[in-house]
Amino acid sequence: TTNSMKLIVNNTIKPFVNNPELYNPFLEEVLNRISNTQRRLEQIGDVEEMYRAQGEIRALRSMLRLREDVNG
């Protein structure tokens, strides 16, 4: 079921999100990627490419909430 799968995923990811030595560099990488995509977004002329970059930023921002989502 969906709940048991979510529990397995959360228990697998929990050690990662609660270990600052691992999680902080991950957050830095995600923030760098958001920044790079925002810079790219400012220069995009194609509408489809703009939507793609916006979706990329949305996905990356969801990764910033990983710890909160896993720890509840």
Side-chain angles (χ1 to χ4, degrees):
T1 65
T2 304
N3 285 338
S4 64
M5 184 63 165
K6 188 173 182 177
L7 183 62
I8 291 169
V9 170
N10 283 354
N11 286 338
T12 303
I13 295 175
K14 226 173 224 206
F16 169 69
V17 299
N18 291 315
N19 181 339
E21 289 180 14
L22 297 175
Y23 194 64
N24 290 341
F26 169 77
L27 289 178
E28 286 179 35
E29 179 63 26
V30 171
L31 289 169
N32 285 335
R33 289 177 185 224
I34 290 172
S35 178
N36 291 340
T37 305
Q38 286 173 331
R39 276 195 298 271
R40 194 176 85 229
L41 184 59
E42 292 171 357
Q43 300 170 4
I44 292 175
D46 180 54
V47 174
E48 284 186 33
E49 188 64 30
M50 181 185 72
Y51 290 147
R52 203 170 286 123
Q54 288 174 334
E56 185 177 335
I57 291 170
R58 186 175 300 118
L60 289 165
R61 285 195 175 138
S62 74
M63 295 175 83
L64 292 176
R65 295 187 304 271
L66 184 61
R67 180 185 292 163
E68 296 161 15
D69 293 346
V70 169
N71 287 332

